[in-house]
Amino acid sequence: MKLYKVLTVALLGGLLTTSCSDWFDVTSSNEIREDDHYSKDSGFKQTLVGCYLAMSEEALYGMNLSWYMPDLMANQTRSYANYSTSAAAGELQAHKYNTTYTKPLVESVWTSAYSVIVNANEALLKIDGRKDAMDDINYHVIKGELLAVRAMMHFQLLRLYGYGNWAERKAELDAKKTIPYVTTVNKNITEQATGAEMFAHLTSDLTNALDLLKDYDPVCGTHDAAFYANVNVNDDGFYSTRNNRLNYYAVKALLAQVYMWEGSSESLDKALPICEELIGKLADGVSIRFDNSNTFLLTLSDPGTLNKQNASLVNEALFAVSINNLDQKMSNYINPVYASTDYNAIYLTADQMTDIYGTDDASLDVRATVLLSQNLNGDDQGYVPVKLYQKNLGTYYSGKVPVIRLPEIYYMAAECYAAKGNAQKALDLLNVVREKRGLYDALVLPDDASAQVPFAQQQIAAEYRKEFLGEGEIFYYYKRTGAEAIPNHENMTDADYLLPYPDMETSAGRVQ
């Protein structure tokens, strides 16, 4: 138990200034410093921005939670099994999470995510006491985002360190202990939540966040620019590009993801209207810049305009994380002209490319023709995912990693309709995205009525693979739906899907 307290102190070290001795023997001077930090709106803004900066580090969305670990765990790209210089990649593909090479990665995700949570909690514990002194807009937007940050980090940890296939295991997993849902900042240990408690915490934080944001977030269009004049002028663009933050639409999408993970028919009934609302509002494009200085719209890309300069698909991101030095972070992994000695290079073999995109569609689908780049100089002429290849991207599209994109909203809605037996509606939604990818021949249901829902579900899975290559999302889809076989793994079990708790947690009595 004491070990966990030490871990908690370590988590605070990144963005908070409390030392280990201060933590266990809090003095009045510490309290004064904290109160002084939060005496103005700017203190809450700084903590919130600090949370986003921490989320951009390699341990989280700068690498491990996006284009690296989960994509390797889903076996979407070539094998690293025979390369000792890429031991971590090969062992992630083999789902060996407790080795010398993978264990530090697994533990860094846990500690870094809880560090973000601790910092969000510190501000949340102070903000209501300062409400009367804060600008009303700042109070609602900042508190809403802080709650969303806390929920998002817990949900990410649940997707990795918790169990999957909830829909088929609800009674078991609702009662089973999972990760701690931390809402305090103190030296006392937060007990592990049960599965049912975890979903109650997640939905509570996210619905409260939505209530706070809905009349104040600029993306909602409730008020004109004059309403924000006092808080936006000369304020470092705090209210400007909202898709780099957990805005109202992103929080809605995150809530739908949570309901989909829980997976019961009741939860799908809650997820579907959220997805339909987002599709209805965003289908024709919505401005996500407060100051309207840019014509950029949040919308699905047009296949005729998708190119290497906008390949990161940031224009489709409800939420994207800005990453400093992303080019350096990816330089050893993503290179469209990799050499045969670049043992860390990420690419698809020709067989993998055909397996994902098909023989006929590969020449039409912009996800294959634009978002992949064949290395004709390599011995094996592999296909490199170039969504995030920074040297190609235009200024706006570089330095950002999309975390939640619009196509997933369509796919989640399609899953809900398929679960209800409406296979045609599911295909209609898939066809909207497919047309935006250059596939104008619509998917058509088989004549056999008994085969229609299975066909729709197969197509949903196929679209996830095509759409989210290089983004990690396919691993979470596999785990959520309880896929028993994935590429190169015919018999997936909990051991394959479950990242182990850090040693410090199990030593403190945590059970998984």
Side-chain angles (χ1 to χ4, degrees):
M1 303 295 273
K2 182 178 180 181
L3 289 174
Y4 184 74
K5 294 179 184 178
V6 175
L7 172 61
T8 306
V9 175
L11 297 184
L12 288 168
L15 292 173
L16 304 181
T17 57
T18 309
S19 70
C20 293
S21 59
D22 290 336
W23 182 245
F24 290 106
D25 184 19
V26 178
T27 64
S28 59
S29 62
N30 290 124
E31 293 168 357
I32 291 169
R33 283 198 297 272
E34 284 185 7
D35 288 342
D36 182 64
H37 178 70
Y38 293 115
S39 64
K40 297 180 180 179
D41 293 15
S42 59
F44 293 98
K45 291 181 180 180
Q46 288 166 7
T47 297
L48 176 59
V49 171
C51 288
Y52 288 120
L53 288 173
M55 289 163 68
S56 75
E57 294 300 315
E58 288 185 14
L60 298 177
Y61 294 102
M63 181 173 175
N64 285 350
L65 295 186
S66 51
W67 52 272
Y68 187 66
M69 281 180 61
D71 243 38
L72 289 169
M73 291 153 64
N75 274 267
Q76 298 303 294
T77 52
R78 58 97 168 197
S79 173
Y80 295 85
N82 298 321
Y83 296 97
S84 60
T85 53
S86 307
E91 289 170 355
L92 286 169
Q93 287 181 325
H95 307 149
K96 297 177 181 178
Y97 304 129
N98 266 314
T99 73
T100 301
Y101 300 99
T102 57
K103 196 170 186 175
L105 298 176
V106 171
E107 297 199 348
S108 71
V109 171
W110 178 280
T111 56
S112 297
Y114 273 114
S115 179
V116 175
I117 290 166
V118 167
N119 283 281
N121 282 340
E122 187 202 43
L124 283 167
L125 292 170
K126 296 286 185 180
I127 197 166
D128 283 341
R130 301 294 189 190
K131 178 180 179 181
D132 291 343
M134 291 181 69
D135 179 276
D136 196 43
I137 300 170
N138 284 340
Y139 169 79
H140 283 84
V141 172
I142 293 170
K143 184 177 180 183
E145 286 191 49
L146 287 166
L147 287 169
V149 165
R150 181 167 76 186
M152 183 173 188
M153 286 291 92
H154 280 106
F155 182 52
Q156 183 62 72
L157 289 167
L158 178 68
R159 294 202 294 179
L160 289 171
Y161 300 86
Y163 289 79
N165 197 18
W166 216 281
E168 299 297 324
R169 306 169 65 178
K170 182 172 173 55
E172 171 199 357
L173 298 182
D174 273 357
K176 191 176 183 65
K177 286 185 178 181
T178 186
I179 65 169
Y181 200 97
V182 182
T183 59
T184 61
V185 182
N186 56 50
K187 60 187 178 183
N188 297 322
I189 293 176
T190 299
E191 295 298 324
Q192 290 178 259
T194 64
E197 290 168 343
M198 175 60 58
F199 285 111
H201 285 306
L202 288 168
T203 55
S204 175
D205 271 355
L206 291 172
T207 52
N208 286 334
L210 290 169
D211 287 342
L212 287 159
L213 290 168
K214 66 181 179 182
D215 291 328
Y216 293 89
D217 190 337
V219 303
C220 297
T222 307
H223 306 284
D224 61 20
F227 180 77
Y228 299 94
N230 291 333
V231 298
N232 192 61
V233 173
N234 241 354
D235 207 18
D236 297 325
F238 188 78
Y239 284 90
S240 292
T241 307
R242 294 290 296 157
N243 73 328
N244 292 341
R245 306 268 289 280
L246 282 167
N247 60 76
Y248 180 82
Y249 298 137
V251 178
K252 276 271 186 181
L254 183 56
L255 181 58
Q257 287 182 328
V258 169
Y259 285 135
M260 295 296 293
W261 194 269
E262 198 273 341
S264 67
S265 59
E266 294 82 6
S267 291
L268 298 186
D269 286 343
K270 295 175 182 177
L272 181 56
I274 293 174
C275 294
E276 289 183 319
E277 177 190 351
L278 289 171
I279 290 169
K281 288 185 176 179
L282 304 176
D284 295 327
V286 170
S287 174
I288 54 170
R289 287 190 63 88
F290 164 76
D291 54 16
N292 291 319
S293 64
N294 190 314
T295 57
F296 176 81
L297 296 178
L298 173 61
T299 186
L300 287 171
S301 298
D302 183 88
T305 59
L306 186 60
N307 55 50
K308 293 294 192 287
Q309 286 72 45
N310 56 26
S312 64
L313 299 168
V314 171
N315 58 297
E316 297 185 353
L318 286 78
F319 173 54
V321 176
S322 293
I323 313 289
N324 288 328
N325 301 317
L326 182 56
D327 187 35
Q328 295 177 23
K329 291 178 171 66
M330 303 189 73
S331 61
N332 290 331
Y333 304 94
I334 303 294
N335 182 358
V337 289
Y338 63 86
S340 59
T341 54
D342 291 338
Y343 299 118
N344 289 314
I346 293 174
Y347 59 86
L348 285 73
T349 65
D351 287 344
Q352 286 175 317
M353 195 277 284
T354 301
D355 180 51
I356 294 175
Y357 295 101
T359 303
D360 297 329
D361 285 352
S363 63
L364 303 172
D365 194 329
V366 292
R367 293 171 293 195
T369 62
V370 176
L371 302 183
L372 291 178
S373 181
Q374 187 177 16
N375 180 15
L376 298 177
N377 297 320
D379 293 339
D380 53 8
Q381 298 190 351
Y383 293 81
V384 179
V386 291
K387 288 177 182 173
L388 297 178
Y389 184 60
Q390 299 297 293
K391 293 180 181 179
N392 284 343
L393 295 171
T395 301
Y396 183 81
Y397 293 89
S398 62
K400 303 177 183 71
V401 170
V403 178
I404 305 174
R405 284 199 297 112
L406 268 174
E408 187 177 4
I409 310 303
Y410 287 82
Y411 297 166
M412 289 192 293
E415 286 185 71
C416 292
Y417 276 112
K420 292 175 177 291
N422 192 339
Q424 183 58 60
K425 183 63 176 177
L427 289 196
D428 290 344
L429 288 159
L430 296 185
N431 284 329
V432 171
V433 181
R434 284 169 55 85
E435 186 172 318
K436 291 292 186 179
R437 301 304 184 236
L439 300 176
Y440 296 103
D441 288 339
L443 294 170
V444 178
L445 290 173
D447 292 333
D448 181 358
S450 65
Q452 290 178 353
V453 168
F455 176 79
Q457 292 170 332
Q458 291 167 5
Q459 296 306 313
I460 291 167
E463 285 300 308
Y464 265 97
R465 289 190 74 194
K466 294 174 186 177
E467 186 64 38
F468 294 111
L469 180 69
E471 299 181 53
E473 199 62 33
I474 184 62
F475 176 79
Y476 306 126
Y477 172 78
Y478 286 150
K479 183 172 180 176
R480 171 168 63 79
T481 58
E484 295 178 357
I486 69 172
N488 296 322
H489 282 270
E490 294 299 321
N491 297 295
M492 293 291 289
T493 66
D494 284 336
D496 295 291
Y497 279 126
L498 204 66
L499 292 190
Y501 289 176
D503 288 345
M504 194 172 291
E505 296 297 318
T506 55
S507 297
R510 304 291 194 197
V511 294
Q512 192 173 20

